[in-house]
Amino acid sequence: MIYQMYQAQADIMDPFRRLARNSSTLLRSVTPGQPYGIALRHVTAALDVFGHSGATHKRPDYAIDDVQIGNSIVKVEDEVVYATPFASLVHFKKDTGRKQPKVLLVAPLSGHFATLLRNTVEVLLQDHDVYITDWHNARDIPVDAGRFGFDEYVEHVIKFLEYLGPRSHVVGVCQPTVAVLTAVSVMAEDSNPATPRSMTLMAGPIDTRRNPTKVNILAKTKPISWFEQEMTDVVPWRYRGAGRRVYPGFMQLTAFVSMNLDKHIGAQIRQFRSLAAGDKEAAARHREFYDEYLAVMDLPAEFYLETVQRIFMDHALPKGELRYKGRLVDPGAIKKTFVFTVEGERDDICGLGQTSAALDLCKNLRPLLKRHHMQTGVGHYGVFSGKRWQNEIYPLVREVIEFSV
């Protein structure tokens, strides 16, 4: 009933939020130089903040129209080149006149759309032919499409890498680092010709026993039956995925917001002040971030529960107990893929040492093909988005890919 109650509340509030947004637009047309201009700006700002405060299940656009390569501006067009009921492989096509290394960017399936990695894509596009795993909202996937668990996720990564073909590269961000390491391990053991030349794992939970965070500790405080009963629900009848059991995206969003509640409240207050003061640039930056942050998607319940069980409770991969379709996963099978791990000094989601654990698991890989980087001064999102990512982390990723070509 949690989902039904949330949807009813969202349906009730939606017309009020639309009215607030429309009223805000109307009030902006009033000349601010009039005696009551200051009061109107405060009312307008309050309406604007309220009007944009609700979550949405609509995937934002990537909105990457062009990219600068050297001294030239090159147009970019995103297109779906391969699709299943659960995901699309999106290619950011551009005509550079030269061949660039193919990179598969594996996005998290964790409550936000793959568009959250927009800046990651923009930066990678400067020197690479980029593809991304665009996971579909589970509430829009019919029940007859079947189940989607951890194994199916890994299978998708393998299929997408096979689509890219030999000599490609893979970058896993956050949650999918475990699935990416699993996929590459299986492909290496099978001598799959599409096994990537390099694998970059960024801020991911390879071994959550190391420096556990609040997220990791929560997973250990309850039995898996509690997560199934309290954290999953059935999609309401009016959506295509009606009847499918999911981990609702709004619950993930609520959890993330509650972890840094003061920070988010402060951000809304600053947005109010920016709007009231007419600071359009600051207001636009805030809106851009929260329009993305408040766009949520539902996860298939089996994927969510298996992820909690295998990664956060059982620590199956670092303990050598993880299985993919019944077969034991052995990262020691990786002998030719360059493995690069990246962590953020202030990451409160994946603690230091959790991602670099992958290097220990790839025990048969020569030291020459292993590298780790700890980025100072950044939290979780700073590892793959923002100035530190662009100016300090990305050059290292590019260097690894160039070395592996």
Side-chain angles (χ1 to χ4, degrees):
M1 293 296 293
I2 298 176
Y3 207 139
Q4 286 77 4
M5 292 172 62
Y6 158 79
Q7 195 58 57
Q9 183 268 345
D11 290 343
I12 291 171
M13 295 302 296
D14 185 61
F16 291 101
R17 289 196 173 99
R18 278 190 280 114
L19 177 61
R21 292 195 297 270
N22 293 337
S23 299
S24 174
T25 300
L26 178 64
L27 288 173
R28 281 197 199 95
S29 65
V30 177
T31 306
Q34 294 179 358
Y36 47 83
I38 294 177
L40 276 180
R41 286 202 299 272
H42 280 78
V43 171
T44 302
L47 289 170
D48 194 285
V49 170
F50 171 72
H52 290 88
S53 63
T56 174
H57 283 261
K58 181 180 179 181
R59 193 203 73 156
D61 294 328
Y62 284 100
I64 302 176
D65 299 320
D66 52 56
V67 62
Q68 183 168 348
I69 301 179
N71 296 322
S72 303
I73 300 297
V74 179
K75 291 187 178 299
V76 178
E77 179 183 357
D78 58 272
E79 62 174 355
V80 175
V81 294
Y82 186 99
T84 74
F86 297 95
S88 296
L89 179 62
V90 174
H91 179 215
F92 295 90
K93 184 173 63 174
K94 60 185 190 293
D95 185 11
T96 63
R98 57 179 176 173
K99 188 175 181 179
Q100 295 182 316
K102 292 183 178 180
V103 175
L104 173 64
L105 180 61
V106 183
L109 177 53
S110 59
H112 285 103
F113 292 94
T115 51
L116 190 67
L117 300 186
R118 182 183 294 104
N119 184 243
T120 319
V121 173
E122 289 176 324
V123 174
L124 283 169
L125 276 171
Q126 299 172 59
D127 307 284
H128 307 94
D129 188 11
V130 182
Y131 297 73
I132 193 171
T133 58
D134 198 318
W135 306 105
H136 298 167
N137 192 344
R139 83 172 187 175
D140 297 326
I141 304 173
V143 174
D144 58 15
R147 79 184 307 277
F148 187 88
F150 181 82
D151 284 358
E152 287 72 26
Y153 189 110
V154 173
E155 184 178 27
H156 274 66
V157 174
I158 293 174
K159 285 183 177 180
F160 290 160
L161 282 169
E162 289 175 338
Y163 181 90
L164 266 65
R167 308 190 73 81
S168 61
H169 307 263
V170 63
V171 176
V173 176
C174 189
Q175 174 220 63
T177 55
V178 176
V180 170
L181 181 54
T182 298
V184 175
S185 298
V186 170
M187 295 175 78
E189 190 170 37
D190 292 344
S191 299
N192 191 319
T195 302
R197 302 287 293 178
S198 76
M199 172 174 58
T200 298
L201 305 176
M202 307 178 70
I206 301 296
D207 188 350
T208 58
R209 296 173 300 180
R210 301 185 178 186
N211 291 317
T213 63
K214 290 180 180 179
V215 176
N216 309 146
I217 294 172
L218 173 63
K220 303 286 285 187
T221 60
K222 306 286 185 181
I224 194 65
S225 58
W226 181 89
F227 286 92
E228 182 174 11
Q229 181 177 344
E230 301 294 333
M231 305 300 285
T232 67
D233 206 344
V234 175
V235 176
W237 64 269
R238 65 199 245 194
Y239 300 105
R240 291 185 64 208
R244 178 179 290 280
R245 195 158 195 88
V246 298
Y247 171 48
F250 70 85
M251 295 185 71
Q252 176 83 323
L253 178 64
T254 300
F256 279 152
V257 170
S258 63
M259 284 177 59
N260 296 285
L261 185 59
D262 291 345
K263 175 182 176 182
H264 290 290
I265 292 176
Q268 299 306 318
I269 293 174
R270 287 193 297 274
Q271 174 69 346
F272 170 82
R273 290 171 177 169
S274 296
L275 290 166
D279 189 344
K280 295 181 180 180
E281 186 176 342
R285 287 198 304 269
H286 172 98
R287 178 69 44 72
E288 182 180 355
F289 174 81
Y290 275 96
D291 280 352
E292 189 73 54
Y293 194 73
L294 295 175
V296 297
M297 60 184 293
D298 298 343
L299 283 62
E302 53 270 27
F303 172 77
Y304 167 71
L305 295 171
E306 289 173 9
T307 297
V308 172
Q309 181 78 62
R310 298 183 188 187
I311 297 175
F312 297 99
M313 288 183 171
D314 296 343
H315 313 290
L317 181 58
K319 291 168 66 175
E321 299 171 356
L322 183 66
R323 292 184 177 274
Y324 167 68
K325 294 188 175 182
R327 63 190 285 189
L328 202 62
V329 176
D330 179 21
I334 301 175
K335 299 179 181 178
K336 298 179 180 179
T337 299
F338 196 120
V339 180
F340 180 39
T341 59
V342 183
E343 297 175 341
E345 180 187 21
R346 301 176 182 174
D347 195 334
D348 59 354
I349 295 178
C350 292
L352 290 176
Q354 292 188 8
T355 310
S356 61
L359 300 177
D360 297 329
L361 296 176
C362 299
K363 54 184 180 293
N364 294 318
L365 198 58
R366 290 175 295 161
L368 180 66
L369 298 179
K370 294 181 179 182
R371 186 173 184 177
H372 175 67
H373 175 68
M374 191 278 288
Q375 180 60 50
T376 59
V378 300
H380 187 71
Y381 292 101
V383 172
F384 54 87
S385 180
K387 292 183 178 180
R388 294 288 183 87
W389 149 245
Q390 180 172 348
N391 298 326
E392 299 181 45
I393 298 174
Y394 170 66
L396 302 179
V397 175
R398 180 180 59 205
E399 186 177 290
V400 166
I401 293 175
E402 289 176 350
F403 178 83
S404 306
V405 171

